[in-house]
PDB file of all heavy atoms in Angstrom:
ATOM      1  N   ASN W 210      28.027  12.197 -35.435  1.00  0.00           N
ATOM      2  CA  ASN W 210      28.070  12.722 -34.147  1.00  0.00           C
ATOM      3  C   ASN W 210      29.381  13.369 -33.873  1.00  0.00           C
ATOM      4  O   ASN W 210      29.598  14.502 -33.296  1.00  0.00           O
ATOM      5  CB  ASN W 210      27.762  11.690 -33.095  1.00  0.00           C
ATOM      6  CG  ASN W 210      26.400  11.181 -33.020  1.00  0.00           C
ATOM      7  OD1 ASN W 210      25.474  11.969 -33.480  1.00  0.00           O
ATOM      8  ND2 ASN W 210      26.120  10.051 -32.412  1.00  0.00           N
ATOM      9  N   ARG W 211      30.505  12.734 -34.341  1.00  0.00           N
ATOM     10  CA  ARG W 211      31.844  13.321 -34.108  1.00  0.00           C
ATOM     11  C   ARG W 211      32.053  14.526 -34.919  1.00  0.00           C
ATOM     12  O   ARG W 211      32.742  15.473 -34.549  1.00  0.00           O
ATOM     13  CB  ARG W 211      32.833  12.119 -34.299  1.00  0.00           C
ATOM     14  CG  ARG W 211      32.868  11.186 -33.182  1.00  0.00           C
ATOM     15  CD  ARG W 211      33.617   9.915 -33.456  1.00  0.00           C
ATOM     16  NE  ARG W 211      33.424   8.985 -32.339  1.00  0.00           N
ATOM     17  CZ  ARG W 211      33.878   7.746 -32.376  1.00  0.00           C
ATOM     18  NH1 ARG W 211      34.448   7.239 -33.493  1.00  0.00           N
ATOM     19  NH2 ARG W 211      33.663   6.965 -31.415  1.00  0.00           N
ATOM     20  N   LEU W 212      31.566  14.424 -36.242  1.00  0.00           N
ATOM     21  CA  LEU W 212      31.633  15.647 -37.104  1.00  0.00           C
ATOM     22  C   LEU W 212      30.951  16.847 -36.436  1.00  0.00           C
ATOM     23  O   LEU W 212      31.454  17.999 -36.447  1.00  0.00           O
ATOM     24  CB  LEU W 212      31.035  15.373 -38.446  1.00  0.00           C
ATOM     25  CG  LEU W 212      31.970  14.522 -39.392  1.00  0.00           C
ATOM     26  CD1 LEU W 212      31.142  14.289 -40.733  1.00  0.00           C
ATOM     27  CD2 LEU W 212      33.209  15.390 -39.706  1.00  0.00           C
ATOM     28  N   ALA W 213      29.757  16.536 -35.896  1.00  0.00           N
ATOM     29  CA  ALA W 213      28.984  17.712 -35.247  1.00  0.00           C
ATOM     30  C   ALA W 213      29.765  18.120 -34.022  1.00  0.00           C
ATOM     31  O   ALA W 213      29.861  19.403 -33.788  1.00  0.00           O
ATOM     32  CB  ALA W 213      27.626  17.190 -34.798  1.00  0.00           C
ATOM     33  N   ALA W 214      30.270  17.227 -33.223  1.00  0.00           N
ATOM     34  CA  ALA W 214      31.110  17.743 -32.128  1.00  0.00           C
ATOM     35  C   ALA W 214      32.288  18.474 -32.521  1.00  0.00           C
ATOM     36  O   ALA W 214      32.730  19.539 -31.817  1.00  0.00           O
ATOM     37  CB  ALA W 214      31.520  16.563 -31.188  1.00  0.00           C
ATOM     38  N   ALA W 215      33.002  18.051 -33.583  1.00  0.00           N
ATOM     39  CA  ALA W 215      34.168  18.743 -34.063  1.00  0.00           C
ATOM     40  C   ALA W 215      33.780  20.157 -34.554  1.00  0.00           C
ATOM     41  O   ALA W 215      34.635  21.145 -34.336  1.00  0.00           O
ATOM     42  CB  ALA W 215      34.862  17.927 -35.310  1.00  0.00           C
ATOM     43  N   LEU W 216      32.626  20.346 -35.151  1.00  0.00           N
ATOM     44  CA  LEU W 216      32.174  21.542 -35.602  1.00  0.00           C
ATOM     45  C   LEU W 216      31.905  22.632 -34.556  1.00  0.00           C
ATOM     46  O   LEU W 216      32.234  23.709 -34.510  1.00  0.00           O
ATOM     47  CB  LEU W 216      30.948  21.483 -36.507  1.00  0.00           C
ATOM     48  CG  LEU W 216      31.109  20.896 -38.018  1.00  0.00           C
ATOM     49  CD1 LEU W 216      29.780  20.671 -38.618  1.00  0.00           C
ATOM     50  CD2 LEU W 216      31.982  21.821 -38.827  1.00  0.00           C
ATOM     51  N   ILE W 217      31.308  21.981 -33.426  1.00  0.00           N
ATOM     52  CA  ILE W 217      31.084  22.763 -32.275  1.00  0.00           C
ATOM     53  C   ILE W 217      32.301  23.259 -31.604  1.00  0.00           C
ATOM     54  O   ILE W 217      32.492  24.509 -31.378  1.00  0.00           O
ATOM     55  CB  ILE W 217      30.189  21.987 -31.256  1.00  0.00           C
ATOM     56  CG1 ILE W 217      28.815  21.673 -31.732  1.00  0.00           C
ATOM     57  CG2 ILE W 217      30.165  22.678 -29.897  1.00  0.00           C
ATOM     58  CD1 ILE W 217      28.005  20.642 -30.911  1.00  0.00           C
ATOM     59  N   ALA W 218      33.434  22.410 -31.512  1.00  0.00           N
ATOM     60  CA  ALA W 218      34.623  22.781 -31.004  1.00  0.00           C
ATOM     61  C   ALA W 218      35.239  23.819 -31.852  1.00  0.00           C
ATOM     62  O   ALA W 218      35.889  24.854 -31.341  1.00  0.00           O
ATOM     63  CB  ALA W 218      35.565  21.531 -30.884  1.00  0.00           C
ATOM     64  N   ALA W 219      35.187  23.654 -33.181  1.00  0.00           N
ATOM     65  CA  ALA W 219      35.777  24.668 -34.067  1.00  0.00           C
ATOM     66  C   ALA W 219      35.051  26.014 -33.928  1.00  0.00           C
ATOM     67  O   ALA W 219      35.586  27.117 -33.926  1.00  0.00           O
ATOM     68  CB  ALA W 219      35.655  24.145 -35.582  1.00  0.00           C
ATOM     69  N   SER W 220      33.798  25.943 -33.820  1.00  0.00           N
ATOM     70  CA  SER W 220      33.015  27.209 -33.597  1.00  0.00           C
ATOM     71  C   SER W 220      33.367  27.930 -32.379  1.00  0.00           C
ATOM     72  O   SER W 220      33.522  29.205 -32.326  1.00  0.00           O
ATOM     73  CB  SER W 220      31.451  26.896 -33.641  1.00  0.00           C
ATOM     74  OG  SER W 220      31.110  26.312 -34.749  1.00  0.00           O
ATOM     75  N   LEU W 221      33.580  27.116 -31.234  1.00  0.00           N
ATOM     76  CA  LEU W 221      34.013  27.707 -30.043  1.00  0.00           C
ATOM     77  C   LEU W 221      35.373  28.397 -30.148  1.00  0.00           C
ATOM     78  O   LEU W 221      35.568  29.561 -29.683  1.00  0.00           O
ATOM     79  CB  LEU W 221      34.147  26.633 -28.873  1.00  0.00           C
ATOM     80  CG  LEU W 221      32.695  26.138 -28.408  1.00  0.00           C
ATOM     81  CD1 LEU W 221      32.968  25.008 -27.404  1.00  0.00           C
ATOM     82  CD2 LEU W 221      32.050  27.296 -27.669  1.00  0.00           C
ATOM     83  N   VAL W 222      36.288  27.793 -30.867  1.00  0.00           N
ATOM     84  CA  VAL W 222      37.548  28.328 -31.117  1.00  0.00           C
ATOM     85  C   VAL W 222      37.539  29.639 -31.898  1.00  0.00           C
ATOM     86  O   VAL W 222      38.160  30.626 -31.612  1.00  0.00           O
ATOM     87  CB  VAL W 222      38.540  27.375 -31.816  1.00  0.00           C
ATOM     88  CG1 VAL W 222      39.785  28.043 -32.150  1.00  0.00           C
ATOM     89  CG2 VAL W 222      38.890  26.177 -30.842  1.00  0.00           C
ATOM     90  N   ILE W 223      36.711  29.626 -32.978  1.00  0.00           N
ATOM     91  CA  ILE W 223      36.613  30.693 -33.830  1.00  0.00           C
ATOM     92  C   ILE W 223      35.942  31.893 -33.024  1.00  0.00           C
ATOM     93  O   ILE W 223      36.352  33.057 -33.101  1.00  0.00           O
ATOM     94  CB  ILE W 223      35.744  30.321 -35.125  1.00  0.00           C
ATOM     95  CG1 ILE W 223      36.658  29.498 -35.990  1.00  0.00           C
ATOM     96  CG2 ILE W 223      35.454  31.674 -35.924  1.00  0.00           C
ATOM     97  CD1 ILE W 223      35.835  28.950 -37.166  1.00  0.00           C
ATOM     98  N   GLY W 224      34.908  31.562 -32.364  1.00  0.00           N
ATOM     99  CA  GLY W 224      34.124  32.583 -31.506  1.00  0.00           C
ATOM    100  C   GLY W 224      35.092  33.229 -30.447  1.00  0.00           C
ATOM    101  O   GLY W 224      35.040  34.454 -30.342  1.00  0.00           O
ATOM    102  N   SER W 225      35.877  32.411 -29.881  1.00  0.00           N
ATOM    103  CA  SER W 225      36.778  32.890 -28.828  1.00  0.00           C
ATOM    104  C   SER W 225      37.792  33.755 -29.463  1.00  0.00           C
ATOM    105  O   SER W 225      38.228  34.830 -28.887  1.00  0.00           O
ATOM    106  CB  SER W 225      37.415  31.687 -28.105  1.00  0.00           C
ATOM    107  OG  SER W 225      36.439  30.877 -27.442  1.00  0.00           O
ATOM    108  N   SER W 226      38.384  33.423 -30.603  1.00  0.00           N
ATOM    109  CA  SER W 226      39.380  34.264 -31.319  1.00  0.00           C
ATOM    110  C   SER W 226      38.708  35.549 -31.690  1.00  0.00           C
ATOM    111  O   SER W 226      39.460  36.588 -31.484  1.00  0.00           O
ATOM    112  CB  SER W 226      39.810  33.491 -32.648  1.00  0.00           C
ATOM    113  OG  SER W 226      40.292  32.279 -32.261  1.00  0.00           O
ATOM    114  N   LEU W 227      37.564  35.667 -32.150  1.00  0.00           N
ATOM    115  CA  LEU W 227      36.867  36.887 -32.507  1.00  0.00           C
ATOM    116  C   LEU W 227      36.717  37.786 -31.224  1.00  0.00           C
ATOM    117  O   LEU W 227      37.001  38.946 -31.279  1.00  0.00           O
ATOM    118  CB  LEU W 227      35.510  36.676 -33.149  1.00  0.00           C
ATOM    119  CG  LEU W 227      35.567  35.998 -34.448  1.00  0.00           C
ATOM    120  CD1 LEU W 227      34.149  35.749 -34.903  1.00  0.00           C
ATOM    121  CD2 LEU W 227      36.142  36.943 -35.526  1.00  0.00           C
ATOM    122  N   LEU W 228      36.312  37.168 -30.185  1.00  0.00           N
ATOM    123  CA  LEU W 228      36.149  37.918 -28.906  1.00  0.00           C
ATOM    124  C   LEU W 228      37.522  38.499 -28.450  1.00  0.00           C
ATOM    125  O   LEU W 228      37.650  39.608 -27.934  1.00  0.00           O
ATOM    126  CB  LEU W 228      35.575  37.005 -27.749  1.00  0.00           C
ATOM    127  CG  LEU W 228      34.045  36.738 -27.864  1.00  0.00           C
ATOM    128  CD1 LEU W 228      33.660  35.737 -26.829  1.00  0.00           C
ATOM    129  CD2 LEU W 228      33.319  37.964 -27.673  1.00  0.00           C
ATOM    130  N   PHE W 229      38.539  37.601 -28.503  1.00  0.00           N
ATOM    131  CA  PHE W 229      39.869  38.023 -28.162  1.00  0.00           C
ATOM    132  C   PHE W 229      40.459  39.209 -29.048  1.00  0.00           C
ATOM    133  O   PHE W 229      40.998  40.180 -28.548  1.00  0.00           O
ATOM    134  CB  PHE W 229      40.858  36.792 -28.243  1.00  0.00           C
ATOM    135  CG  PHE W 229      42.114  37.011 -27.602  1.00  0.00           C
ATOM    136  CD1 PHE W 229      42.281  36.714 -26.223  1.00  0.00           C
ATOM    137  CD2 PHE W 229      43.305  37.477 -28.280  1.00  0.00           C
ATOM    138  CE1 PHE W 229      43.527  36.959 -25.630  1.00  0.00           C
ATOM    139  CE2 PHE W 229      44.416  37.712 -27.511  1.00  0.00           C
ATOM    140  CZ  PHE W 229      44.601  37.328 -26.265  1.00  0.00           C
ATOM    141  N   LEU W 230      40.160  39.078 -30.293  1.00  0.00           N
ATOM    142  CA  LEU W 230      40.743  40.171 -31.217  1.00  0.00           C
ATOM    143  C   LEU W 230      39.883  41.452 -31.077  1.00  0.00           C
ATOM    144  O   LEU W 230      40.493  42.630 -31.276  1.00  0.00           O
ATOM    145  CB  LEU W 230      40.607  39.648 -32.674  1.00  0.00           C
ATOM    146  CG  LEU W 230      41.563  38.483 -32.930  1.00  0.00           C
ATOM    147  CD1 LEU W 230      41.383  38.057 -34.491  1.00  0.00           C
ATOM    148  CD2 LEU W 230      43.103  38.942 -32.854  1.00  0.00           C
ATOM    149  N   SER W 231      38.633  41.280 -30.747  1.00  0.00           N
ATOM    150  CA  SER W 231      37.764  42.512 -30.598  1.00  0.00           C
ATOM    151  C   SER W 231      38.118  43.334 -29.370  1.00  0.00           C
ATOM    152  O   SER W 231      37.821  44.494 -29.218  1.00  0.00           O
ATOM    153  CB  SER W 231      36.318  42.229 -30.543  1.00  0.00           C
ATOM    154  OG  SER W 231      36.069  41.398 -29.372  1.00  0.00           O
ATOM    155  N   ASN W 232      38.767  42.635 -28.369  1.00  0.00           N
ATOM    156  CA  ASN W 232      39.316  43.335 -27.269  1.00  0.00           C
ATOM    157  C   ASN W 232      38.192  44.061 -26.320  1.00  0.00           C
ATOM    158  O   ASN W 232      38.450  45.013 -25.671  1.00  0.00           O
ATOM    159  CB  ASN W 232      40.393  44.310 -27.553  1.00  0.00           C
ATOM    160  CG  ASN W 232      41.419  44.625 -26.362  1.00  0.00           C
ATOM    161  OD1 ASN W 232      41.542  43.666 -25.600  1.00  0.00           O
ATOM    162  ND2 ASN W 232      41.923  45.796 -26.307  1.00  0.00           N
ATOM    163  N   ILE W 233      36.974  43.416 -26.406  1.00  0.00           N
ATOM    164  CA  ILE W 233      35.877  44.079 -25.756  1.00  0.00           C
ATOM    165  C   ILE W 233      35.695  43.375 -24.363  1.00  0.00           C
ATOM    166  O   ILE W 233      36.172  42.329 -24.084  1.00  0.00           O
ATOM    167  CB  ILE W 233      34.533  43.949 -26.501  1.00  0.00           C
ATOM    168  CG1 ILE W 233      34.198  42.484 -26.797  1.00  0.00           C
ATOM    169  CG2 ILE W 233      34.649  44.681 -27.857  1.00  0.00           C
ATOM    170  CD1 ILE W 233      32.883  42.274 -27.391  1.00  0.00           C
ATOM    171  N   GLY W 234      34.995  44.015 -23.425  1.00  0.00           N
ATOM    172  CA  GLY W 234      34.604  43.497 -22.098  1.00  0.00           C
ATOM    173  C   GLY W 234      35.811  43.758 -21.199  1.00  0.00           C
ATOM    174  O   GLY W 234      36.756  44.384 -21.464  1.00  0.00           O
ATOM    175  N   PRO W 235      35.619  43.257 -19.874  1.00  0.00           N
ATOM    176  CA  PRO W 235      36.703  43.379 -18.912  1.00  0.00           C
ATOM    177  C   PRO W 235      37.896  42.746 -19.303  1.00  0.00           C
ATOM    178  O   PRO W 235      37.910  41.802 -20.080  1.00  0.00           O
ATOM    179  CB  PRO W 235      35.972  42.732 -17.647  1.00  0.00           C
ATOM    180  CG  PRO W 235      35.023  41.773 -18.259  1.00  0.00           C
ATOM    181  CD  PRO W 235      34.476  42.446 -19.484  1.00  0.00           C
ATOM    182  N   HIS W 236      39.012  43.195 -18.696  1.00  0.00           N
ATOM    183  CA  HIS W 236      40.325  42.630 -18.910  1.00  0.00           C
ATOM    184  C   HIS W 236      41.001  42.122 -17.668  1.00  0.00           C
ATOM    185  O   HIS W 236      40.756  42.510 -16.616  1.00  0.00           O
ATOM    186  CB  HIS W 236      41.224  43.725 -19.518  1.00  0.00           C
ATOM    187  CG  HIS W 236      40.879  44.124 -20.980  1.00  0.00           C
ATOM    188  ND1 HIS W 236      39.664  44.626 -21.325  1.00  0.00           N
ATOM    189  CD2 HIS W 236      41.599  43.898 -22.143  1.00  0.00           C
ATOM    190  CE1 HIS W 236      39.532  44.894 -22.639  1.00  0.00           C
ATOM    191  NE2 HIS W 236      40.749  44.412 -23.160  1.00  0.00           N
ATOM    192  N   TRP W 237      41.793  41.179 -17.841  1.00  0.00           N
ATOM    193  CA  TRP W 237      42.674  40.531 -16.816  1.00  0.00           C
ATOM    194  C   TRP W 237      44.083  40.773 -17.188  1.00  0.00           C
ATOM    195  O   TRP W 237      44.670  40.104 -18.021  1.00  0.00           O
ATOM    196  CB  TRP W 237      42.429  39.039 -16.673  1.00  0.00           C
ATOM    197  CG  TRP W 237      43.157  38.448 -15.500  1.00  0.00           C
ATOM    198  CD1 TRP W 237      43.243  38.955 -14.292  1.00  0.00           C
ATOM    199  CD2 TRP W 237      44.121  37.367 -15.549  1.00  0.00           C
ATOM    200  NE1 TRP W 237      44.084  38.186 -13.429  1.00  0.00           N
ATOM    201  CE2 TRP W 237      44.535  37.242 -14.296  1.00  0.00           C
ATOM    202  CE3 TRP W 237      44.422  36.532 -16.529  1.00  0.00           C
ATOM    203  CZ2 TRP W 237      45.460  36.115 -14.043  1.00  0.00           C
ATOM    204  CZ3 TRP W 237      45.357  35.499 -16.242  1.00  0.00           C
ATOM    205  CH2 TRP W 237      45.911  35.295 -14.979  1.00  0.00           C
ATOM    206  N   GLY W 238      44.654  41.827 -16.559  1.00  0.00           N
ATOM    207  CA  GLY W 238      45.974  42.302 -17.112  1.00  0.00           C
ATOM    208  C   GLY W 238      45.639  43.060 -18.469  1.00  0.00           C
ATOM    209  O   GLY W 238      44.819  43.953 -18.539  1.00  0.00           O
ATOM    210  N   GLU W 239      46.348  42.514 -19.536  1.00  0.00           N
ATOM    211  CA  GLU W 239      46.093  43.064 -20.821  1.00  0.00           C
ATOM    212  C   GLU W 239      45.135  42.135 -21.704  1.00  0.00           C
ATOM    213  O   GLU W 239      45.016  42.340 -22.888  1.00  0.00           O
ATOM    214  CB  GLU W 239      47.415  43.363 -21.527  1.00  0.00           C
ATOM    215  CG  GLU W 239      48.288  44.395 -20.820  1.00  0.00           C
ATOM    216  CD  GLU W 239      49.593  44.552 -21.636  1.00  0.00           C
ATOM    217  OE1 GLU W 239      49.776  43.927 -22.622  1.00  0.00           O
ATOM    218  OE2 GLU W 239      50.366  45.511 -21.167  1.00  0.00           O
ATOM    219  N   LEU W 240      44.674  40.998 -21.104  1.00  0.00           N
ATOM    220  CA  LEU W 240      44.039  39.955 -21.889  1.00  0.00           C
ATOM    221  C   LEU W 240      42.426  40.112 -21.728  1.00  0.00           C
ATOM    222  O   LEU W 240      42.000  40.280 -20.484  1.00  0.00           O
ATOM    223  CB  LEU W 240      44.409  38.570 -21.431  1.00  0.00           C
ATOM    224  CG  LEU W 240      45.939  38.160 -21.548  1.00  0.00           C
ATOM    225  CD1 LEU W 240      46.185  36.800 -21.001  1.00  0.00           C
ATOM    226  CD2 LEU W 240      46.228  38.307 -23.041  1.00  0.00           C
TER     227      LEU W 240
END
C-alpha cells in the first residue's frame, strides 16, 4: 500500500513538472 501511494506521489510530481516545463495553459504572473 505504501509503495503504491509513493508511486502515486511520484507520478503527481513528474506530471506537475511536465506541465510546468511545457508552459501551457493560463499563467499567474510568469508561472
Side-chain angles (χ1 to χ4, degrees):
N210 289 339
R211 287 166 186 171
L212 281 174
L216 287 173
I217 292 172
S220 301
L221 285 173
V222 172
I223 293 171
S225 301
S226 301
L227 291 174
L228 285 172
F229 193 86
L230 292 174
S231 64
N232 204 30
I233 61 174
H236 286 65
W237 182 52
E239 296 182 358
L240 301 175

